[in-house]
Amino acid sequence: QVQLVESGGGLVQAGGSLRLSCAASGVLFSIRTMGWYRQAPGKQRELVASITGGQRTNYADFVKSRFTISRDNAKNTVYLQMNSLKPEDTAVYYCAAGRTLTAHTFTPTFWGQGTQVTVSS
């Protein structure tokens, strides 16, 4: 089993920044790709960004140039730096991990519990 624990969510004003972290533990040998999803009230969960162990990345169009995903393989941790935040970025952000080899075809197997990000206008 794989456990994913997110941190770094909170309340921020529009235009501000937040950095999310996700620490993975457990049986990690099969994990190849990690990423972040988000789910706003009344909406479906959607991919924000994903990253392979080789640092290949994939981003949703709505966050390109504002968000940056990174990964520290030695620490089994993935990060999401979020800049220029907008009220429409308000959502619960979930860390995810899976056995997918490429960032563009990321299919999560494991999920974190989620962390709330609220952007005020």
Side-chain angles (χ1 to χ4, degrees):
Q1 269 292 7
V2 173
Q3 293 78 44
L4 303 172
V5 179
E6 303 103 333
S7 61
L11 174 65
V12 64
Q13 288 187 332
S17 299
L18 282 175
R19 188 192 194 206
L20 305 183
S21 300
C22 172
S25 62
V27 183
L28 302 178
F29 70 90
S30 66
I31 297 302
R32 298 292 181 266
T33 300
M34 298 182 71
W36 293 92
Y37 280 71
R38 71 184 188 184
Q39 187 167 20
K43 295 187 177 181
Q44 289 189 332
R45 192 172 297 189
E46 59 185 357
L47 174 70
V48 176
S50 56
I51 185 169
T52 67
Q55 309 295 333
R56 295 289 183 97
T57 60
N58 179 46
Y59 292 92
D61 287 341
F62 56 79
V63 300
K64 283 183 178 178
S65 78
R66 298 191 299 125
F67 293 6
T68 302
I69 191 170
S70 60
R71 180 171 175 173
D72 186 331
N73 290 326
K75 295 182 179 179
N76 296 315
T77 299
V78 64
Y79 305 95
L80 185 68
Q81 178 66 44
M82 304 186 293
N83 299 327
S84 301
L85 283 161
K86 306 174 182 179
E88 51 264 42
D89 293 318
T90 295
V92 177
Y93 284 70
Y94 295 91
C95 179
R99 303 180 178 93
T100 316
L101 293 176
T102 63
H104 285 76
T105 59
F106 181 41
T107 303
T109 303
F110 303 101
W111 294 90
Q113 81 285 358
T115 185
Q116 177 70 45
V117 171
T118 303
V119 184
S120 63
S121 57

